[in-house]
Amino acid sequence: MSEPEQTLKAHSRPSTMDQTGKRLWIYPQAVAGFFTHRREWVSYFLVVVYLLIPWLRYDGLPLVQLNITERQFIILGNIYWPHDVKYLVFVLILAGISLFFFTALAGRLWCGWACPQTVFLEFIFRKVETWIEGDRNKRMALDRAPWTSQKLIKKASKHAVFLLFSAIVANTFLAYFVGTENVLVWMTQAPTEHWVAFLVMAANLGVFYFNFAWFREQFCTILCPYARFQSALTDEHTLQVTYDFTRGEPRGKKGKVAGDCIDCGACVRVCPTGIDIRNGNQLECIGCARCIDACDLIMDKVKRPRHLIRYDSEARLNKKTTTLMRPRVLIYAVLLVVLVSGFFWAVSHRPLVEFNVLRSPGNPYIILQNGDVSNHLSLRLVNKDRQSHNISFRLEGLDEAQLVVPVQPFLLPANTIRRLEIFINVPVAALSDGKHPVVLKLYSDEMEVAQSDAYVLGPQQ
Ligand code: SF4
Ligand code: SF4
């Protein structure tokens, strides 16, 4: 293959890759300014919330725990079982529509301000790196320099702190699934006492460390699917981090060209994904607004108005009228309000005791010695409540039928799933069509709490 064929065209490759497909390491320069300060506060708040949640208790239960092994989700003192998967679907739809709404309104607000990848990378790991190795130029020089004892110490210290912070982030992540008590036990006991848990922890730590120490912005530019479809969610009225081309061009040294951009490259040097916002909106832009702060500092220095790079819409940059309240935004907003209200209504009316009817395999019915038909049904009972319930059943819809339950009422302990075998006995004459619909009603402490439709089957006459 000839050399030109081996190279990748600039427009078809990510900003972090050279013509030969090799990774270009990004060295974002530190920046301070209006947006960076606010992002910093939002990020620290989110980090504290993330670290605290697994430790918090509500009504004697973890505030949030997604216990996959025991197939229980605990949220705000309520236990959700696999039967409640509909609420999870609800939450996922809500998350999707919020993402659509905020993207249509203000582009990649999530990526720049709240995504864990950005929050941890930019405000924890990158800070540690800058603190130990110095800002952009020093980091570049250190990486180019030959291995000396000083370089070794700096690199080793950085990776030791990275490992420590990755362990905190990774073990907290694990605590959301298995609880802080288990994580503490696994952390303090010898690996030989719980090999599987130890390997899970080590793999989890490895993934976080690999991501924050090496993979970094590649996660956003290569792996994350959101970047790929976000352009379908925005339009010319969406607020995005944008370069004012009309005001900035032609770029060049101050006093020599008419445009305001002095082509200093500060916006590119601070960019965590290594792009030049002056080339227009790009897939790699995570909307972090660092380039806005960097350019504002430059504009102050050269005594020109700020906001050459700013949050703005394409329509306004092209001198068209623009509005935030477009049909798609309004539709998403209405959908969000309806879904959030529906979700809270559904959760607050969630039945705590439920059952479903399973017909036992094999014969649908048997004929008893007295000539009656007997249907054997298996019931799967769930008590999602945190207290026991006195359970009994009644049958409606077929007066001649007799419901046979081993013990009635019986105690269904809190937080349990039980299987119960019941029989419906009925004279053959009552089943003229060979089947008859009935309703099985479940009573908890004499209150009807659930019901299920069923059929009593018998021989055709
Ligand atoms: S920071 Fe501003 S002035 Fe400097 S290159 Fe970027 S857009 Fe131009
Ligand atoms: S172009 Fe600006 S907003 Fe986009 S990722 Fe780079 S620094 Fe952040």
Side-chain angles (χ1 to χ4, degrees):
M1 194 184 283
S2 67
E3 200 174 314
E5 282 171 316
Q6 283 179 330
T7 59
L8 294 165
K9 284 191 178 141
H11 65 262
S12 66
R13 63 184 150 88
S15 56
T16 52
M17 197 182 275
D18 73 5
Q19 304 93 306
T20 59
K22 199 169 150 245
R23 166 103 181 255
L24 289 172
W25 193 257
I26 306 283
Y27 298 89
Q29 193 168 24
V31 68
F34 181 87
F35 290 108
T36 308
H37 287 318
R38 274 146 191 83
R39 285 178 62 232
E40 219 159 21
W41 285 114
V42 171
S43 295
Y44 291 141
F45 170 75
L46 292 174
V47 170
V48 170
V49 169
Y50 170 78
L51 296 177
L52 270 185
I53 283 181
W55 297 94
L56 300 179
R57 296 280 178 277
Y58 180 86
D59 211 5
L61 286 173
L63 188 69
V64 174
Q65 194 180 102
L66 314 174
N67 194 332
I68 291 170
T69 49
E70 287 180 23
R71 303 199 296 163
Q72 281 186 357
F73 284 8
I74 303 170
I75 297 165
L76 290 175
N78 293 310
I79 301 174
Y80 294 86
W81 293 72
H83 317 74
D84 296 318
V85 73
K86 51 186 176 282
Y87 301 107
L88 182 66
V89 174
F90 228 128
V91 169
L92 292 178
I93 294 173
L94 263 177
I97 294 191
S98 337
L99 203 65
F100 290 4
F101 173 72
F102 287 111
T103 310
L105 212 56
R108 291 173 73 175
L109 214 50
W110 162 258
C111 301
W113 289 76
C115 174
Q117 175 73 7
T118 310
V119 166
F120 285 114
L121 180 58
E122 297 305 324
F123 295 99
I124 305 285
F125 289 85
R126 197 92 75 189
K127 289 239 183 242
V128 168
E129 191 166 67
T130 308
W131 176 59
I132 295 175
E133 294 185 352
D135 202 1
R136 173 185 161 89
N137 290 344
K138 286 190 176 164
R139 294 204 302 273
M140 288 168 84
L142 186 71
D143 281 359
R144 277 195 305 265
W147 282 98
T148 58
S149 54
Q150 203 195 12
K151 178 170 174 174
L152 196 67
I153 289 170
K154 281 192 174 178
K155 291 284 176 194
S157 326
K158 179 181 87 171
H159 285 284
V161 181
F162 275 7
L163 269 173
L164 174 70
F165 283 4
S166 298
I168 295 171
V169 178
N171 288 345
T172 304
F173 180 73
L174 216 53
Y176 276 86
F177 297 92
V178 298
T180 44
E181 304 79 6
N182 282 327
V183 172
L184 284 177
V185 168
W186 296 348
M187 281 170 67
T188 47
Q189 285 183 351
T192 45
E193 305 215 6
H194 42 72
W195 271 114
V196 175
F198 173 75
L199 291 176
V200 169
M201 279 177 83
N204 195 34
L205 165 64
V207 169
F208 278 90
Y209 172 70
F210 167 78
N211 178 43
F212 292 126
W214 190 80
F215 199 53
R216 299 188 161 191
E217 74 289 335
Q218 312 260 62
F219 185 94
C220 313
T221 57
I222 296 174
L223 215 60
C224 177
Y226 174 49
R228 318 266 143 198
F229 67 79
Q230 56 115 9
S231 57
L233 305 174
T234 58
D235 56 27
E236 59 169 353
H237 301 287
T238 301
L239 282 180
Q240 302 203 61
V241 177
T242 327
Y243 167 67
D244 188 341
F245 195 82
T246 318
R247 197 190 126 189
E249 302 297 317
R251 66 184 79 159
K253 281 211 167 103
K254 191 187 172 191
K256 301 231 161 135
V257 290
D260 274 357
C261 172
I262 61 164
D263 206 13
C264 63
C267 51
V268 183
R269 287 195 299 275
V270 299
C271 180
T273 59
I275 58 168
D276 186 343
I277 191 68
R278 294 172 299 170
N279 295 336
N281 290 330
Q282 293 145 76
L283 180 147
E284 292 93 338
C285 176
I286 57 166
C288 67
R290 284 169 65 91
C291 51
I292 301 182
D293 285 341
C295 191
D296 279 352
L297 288 173
I298 298 296
M299 291 296 109
D300 288 352
K301 278 191 194 148
V302 296
K303 305 215 172 358
R304 283 186 177 157
R306 286 180 159 209
H307 313 316
L308 175 57
I309 303 175
R310 58 181 182 268
Y311 275 107
D312 214 336
S313 69
E314 202 186 308
R316 201 153 61 182
L317 285 177
N318 293 326
K319 313 277 183 252
K320 292 191 207 161
T321 48
T322 187
T323 173
L324 284 181
M325 293 300 132
R326 291 103 66 200
R328 73 157 75 187
V329 173
L330 292 174
I331 291 171
Y332 292 148
V334 170
L335 271 177
L336 267 182
V337 171
V338 170
L339 282 172
V340 168
S341 323
F343 177 72
F344 282 110
W345 183 89
V347 166
S348 57
H349 289 77
R350 185 175 71 115
L352 293 176
V353 181
E354 281 183 312
F355 76 105
N356 46 29
V357 181
L358 309 162
R359 202 161 262 286
S360 59
N363 281 342
Y365 60 86
I366 56 166
I367 306 292
L368 299 175
Q369 279 181 343
N370 65 359
D372 284 357
V373 174
S374 180
N375 281 222
H376 174 196
L377 301 177
S378 284
L379 305 185
R380 196 158 178 271
L381 286 159
V382 188
N383 181 3
K384 303 177 206 166
D385 202 356
R386 296 176 60 195
Q387 57 193 37
S388 308
H389 285 261
N390 271 315
I391 300 295
S392 58
F393 285 94
R394 287 177 207 164
L395 189 72
E396 290 182 7
L398 186 56
D399 291 342
E400 298 87 339
Q402 184 202 359
L403 181 66
V404 182
V405 181
V407 186
Q408 293 228 72
F410 62 92
L411 199 68
L412 186 61
N415 246 333
T416 44
I417 300 179
R418 281 279 159 84
R419 214 173 163 109
L420 180 72
E421 309 301 324
I422 64 165
F423 298 87
I424 301 174
N425 298 342
V426 63
V428 180
L431 298 172
S432 48
D433 294 337
K435 70 176 191 179
H436 198 291
V438 289
V439 181
L440 197 56
K441 292 190 170 177
L442 184 155
Y443 289 77
S444 163
D445 302 312
E446 292 304 308
M447 288 249 308
E448 186 194 321
V449 290
Q451 64 173 47
S452 178
D453 293 332
Y455 275 99
V456 182
L457 304 176
Q460 293 270 4
Q461 292 175 37

